Amino acid sequence: MTARFWELISRGETGPSYTGKEFDLRLFGATKKLIKKYDIHYDPAHIADHEDGMLERVFQAGLELFLEIGMYNMDTGKIIRVTEEEVFEALHRAPCCVTLGEGREKVFVNHRDLEDPSLPVVCGGVGNPMTNDARYQLYLGYALNPMIDYIEPVPPYQFRGRLVKAGTPFEIQACMDNIALFRKASRDAGRPGMPVKGKDGVSAITDIATNREDCGYRKSDHANVYIKPALKTTYEDLNRIAQYLQYGINISSGAGGYMGGVNGGAEGAAIGGMAEAFAAVTIYQANIMSTSVMDSIYPNQTSGKAMWGSNLITAAFNKYTHVPDMWGVYIATAGPCTDMILYEIAACTVGLVVNGGHTFGVAPNQGVTLNYCTPMEPQFMGEVGYAATKLTRKQANDISLKILEKYEDRLMAKQAPKGKTFQELYNLETLEPCEEYRELVASVWEELEILGLKRYSFRG
């Protein structure tokens, strides 16, 4: 399908013309009709175990939305349209397993079925911006953690005492230094072939410049290019795709439905996210998918409605395609070393894994507080993910609902605790977590086991 890339994006020069507002209105109207046509309805009692008929309906609704609306090129004001045959050809030709990393650190991101007993891959990192004095120790802490298969580096925000400005030489060098720092940390941890997810630049020129086999992003890594909300693209992002295809790096892309935007509520966000999954595989040539629904009013992925939508499209995508899928707790609202962030991680991860996803995260405090992320959050996410492979969807749903009761009132009241910084929670020489965080995790695991989530044992 890669050979069709140039033909597909050329349609963004010749397709029907619309203003951005006109496109949004068409998308909003079409989504509203599809919610009714396919009977997509939010059910707070079933946030992780959607019935099979609902999976089929949201899959068909998302496909119909993408075929009717297309993808809007914001730079040309024109629409890229595709045919149903082209969508299914792209899905057919996409791999069912992607190999990342090198040597002993190779990671196989395979397609997982619903209620799949195979262990999910754990991608850590993504967390919050870090000050330069602690970023290396954070990366080393990730690399030394055997639960974490690979990471997405945190974005740099300073370069030689200046704030990083997008699209400048300062951003290029800051991002080059950042990925080189992770490469050093992985070597120092004895894992030189450890793969990397994502990109940390704002501009395309920076993301392209950091593709280097010697010290940057290797062909055995994978680069993110997320679709602009909702069903939109730019030449900046298409430039990324074009260079990534030439370079030969894997591409991951996001099916991100946003509640509170032109998609409307949770139902529309699920249909919109499903449509973006088709766009990502067909136009962006993604071979790793990220399926999710997020709340854009109070940014999070851990409310009942957000999890309902994320689990719905994750299950539908994994039931009807063979493309590997990875998402998780990209945006949590609480901070490190709080019971709430562990509850958020557990509730999201249980539903994700039982519906066929691999795990990815965590960004505490909505990913915006400086130094508020640690290796403990992705470690806990991985532990929960492993445990979830023993569950049915019904069991996962029951557990998720019980965990949700422990924190959703604080989330909705916007009273998530901030927690503590990496420097406060970890010994920066030994990179061991403090006793307070260890005891909290142990305490939460006791609660989870009472709820029916048993820690995974490699002895069977």
Side-chain angles (χ1 to χ4, degrees):
M1 195 61 188
T2 300
R4 293 189 185 273
F5 174 70
W6 301 105
E7 176 189 345
L8 293 174
I9 67 169
S10 294
R11 298 174 192 173
E13 292 283 340
T14 61
S17 296
Y18 290 90
T19 66
K21 184 177 181 179
E22 288 170 338
F23 180 80
D24 284 344
L25 288 172
R26 289 183 68 243
L27 188 146
F28 178 79
T31 302
K32 190 173 181 180
K33 291 178 182 177
L34 290 167
I35 291 172
K36 184 176 181 180
K37 176 180 177 179
Y38 286 97
D39 189 25
I40 308 298
H41 54 275
Y42 168 60
D43 183 353
H46 295 277
I47 61 174
D49 64 339
H50 307 85
E51 48 97 7
D52 288 349
M54 176 74 83
L55 302 187
E56 182 179 4
R57 294 197 304 275
V58 80
F59 187 87
Q60 291 297 331
L63 177 62
E64 188 170 326
L65 180 65
F66 178 47
L67 295 176
E68 178 182 346
I69 298 297
M71 174 180 269
Y72 183 67
N73 185 324
M74 299 167 67
D75 290 317
T76 64
K78 295 182 183 296
I79 292 177
I80 301 171
R81 288 195 183 280
V82 302
T83 66
E84 184 172 346
E85 180 68 18
E86 288 169 332
V87 171
F88 282 99
E89 180 187 358
L91 290 170
H92 173 77
R93 294 189 183 280
C96 60
C97 181
V98 176
T99 302
L100 305 175
E102 300 177 355
R104 293 172 60 90
E105 300 308 316
K106 280 186 178 178
V107 176
F108 302 97
V109 185
N110 61 295
H111 169 73
R112 298 182 68 251
D113 293 320
L114 278 61
E115 300 181 358
D116 199 313
S118 66
L119 296 181
V121 170
V122 179
C123 180
V126 74
N128 301 26
M130 296 291 294
T131 51
N132 291 336
D133 63 319
R135 199 162 1 122
Y136 170 75
Q137 285 92 337
L138 178 70
Y139 289 165
L140 186 58
Y142 285 140
L144 287 169
N145 192 316
M147 178 61 72
I148 300 173
D149 295 305
Y150 69 114
I151 80 157
E152 178 169 333
V154 300
Y157 82 104
Q158 281 188 335
F159 174 70
R160 298 185 182 179
R162 300 170 182 253
L163 291 177
V164 173
K165 185 177 179 181
T168 69
F170 305 110
E171 184 194 27
I172 293 176
Q173 193 58 52
C175 289
M176 196 70 248
D177 291 349
N178 192 36
I179 185 61
L181 192 67
F182 172 72
R183 292 298 182 200
K184 172 176 166 49
S186 63
R187 290 195 303 271
D188 291 347
R191 302 175 72 181
M194 194 175 187
V196 183
K197 176 187 188 299
K199 287 284 187 171
D200 46 18
V202 174
S203 65
I205 192 169
T206 294
D207 285 346
I208 290 169
T210 52
N211 277 343
R212 289 179 51 173
E213 283 287 327
D214 56 348
C215 60
Y217 285 83
R218 302 166 179 162
K219 296 174 183 178
S220 59
D221 298 322
H222 68 103
N224 297 335
V225 190
Y226 293 121
I227 293 171
K228 296 286 189 295
L231 277 172
K232 297 183 180 73
T233 190
T234 63
Y235 273 135
E236 185 91 349
D237 284 337
L238 293 174
N239 285 340
R240 287 179 168 96
I241 299 293
Q243 197 274 338
Y244 296 166
L245 293 175
Q246 293 291 341
Y247 183 58
I249 195 170
N250 297 292
I251 297 172
S252 59
S253 187
Y258 289 86
M259 297 187 294
V262 296
N263 292 130
E267 297 89 347
I271 294 173
M274 200 76 247
E276 289 189 4
F278 295 121
V281 176
T282 308
I283 298 174
Y284 277 16
Q285 312 291 301
N287 56 6
I288 299 177
M289 184 53 59
S290 298
T291 45
S292 70
V293 163
M294 290 187 267
D295 191 331
S296 58
I297 303 299
Y298 178 52
N300 75 84
Q301 293 178 276
T302 60
S303 68
K305 285 187 175 181
M307 288 193 291
W308 174 88
S310 293
N311 290 330
L312 173 59
I313 60 176
T314 295
F317 188 78
N318 290 322
K319 181 176 176 62
Y320 293 109
T321 84
H322 62 247
V323 183
D325 186 38
M326 170 176 288
W327 198 244
V329 198
Y330 174 52
I331 298 179
T333 60
C337 201
T338 66
D339 64 345
M340 183 170 170
I341 195 170
L342 298 179
Y343 294 147
E344 289 183 276
I345 292 169
C348 280
T349 304
V350 164
L352 166 84
V353 170
V354 80
N355 283 299
H358 294 276
T359 62
F360 165 59
V362 178
N365 293 334
Q366 301 169 314
V368 298
T369 50
L370 189 64
N371 294 328
Y372 278 79
C373 61
T374 81
M376 183 66 84
E377 294 87 61
Q379 174 184 320
F380 180 72
M381 176 184 68
E383 291 173 355
V384 172
Y386 281 19
T389 62
K390 301 292 187 179
L391 301 176
T392 65
R393 283 186 288 163
K394 184 183 184 308
Q395 290 171 328
N397 184 69
D398 293 343
I399 291 169
S400 290
L401 288 173
K402 290 173 184 175
I403 300 170
L404 185 63
E405 292 176 356
K406 296 175 178 288
Y407 71 85
E408 192 172 31
D409 57 339
R410 286 181 281 176
L411 188 155
M412 303 312 294
K414 301 183 180 180
Q415 294 176 346
K418 188 175 181 180
K420 297 183 179 181
T421 65
F422 172 59
Q423 294 92 325
E424 292 174 300
L425 294 172
Y426 271 68
N427 182 315
L428 298 188
E429 292 186 1
T430 65
L431 294 175
E432 292 291 328
C434 67
E435 193 62 28
E436 178 188 6
Y437 210 174
R438 291 177 189 268
E439 291 178 355
L440 177 63
V441 170
S443 174
V444 170
W445 259 117
E446 289 179 3
E447 295 180 52
L448 296 178
E449 293 208 324
I450 291 172
L451 296 181
L453 185 68
K454 305 301 182 183
R455 297 189 79 161
Y456 186 86
S457 171
F458 288 99
R459 290 178 295 180

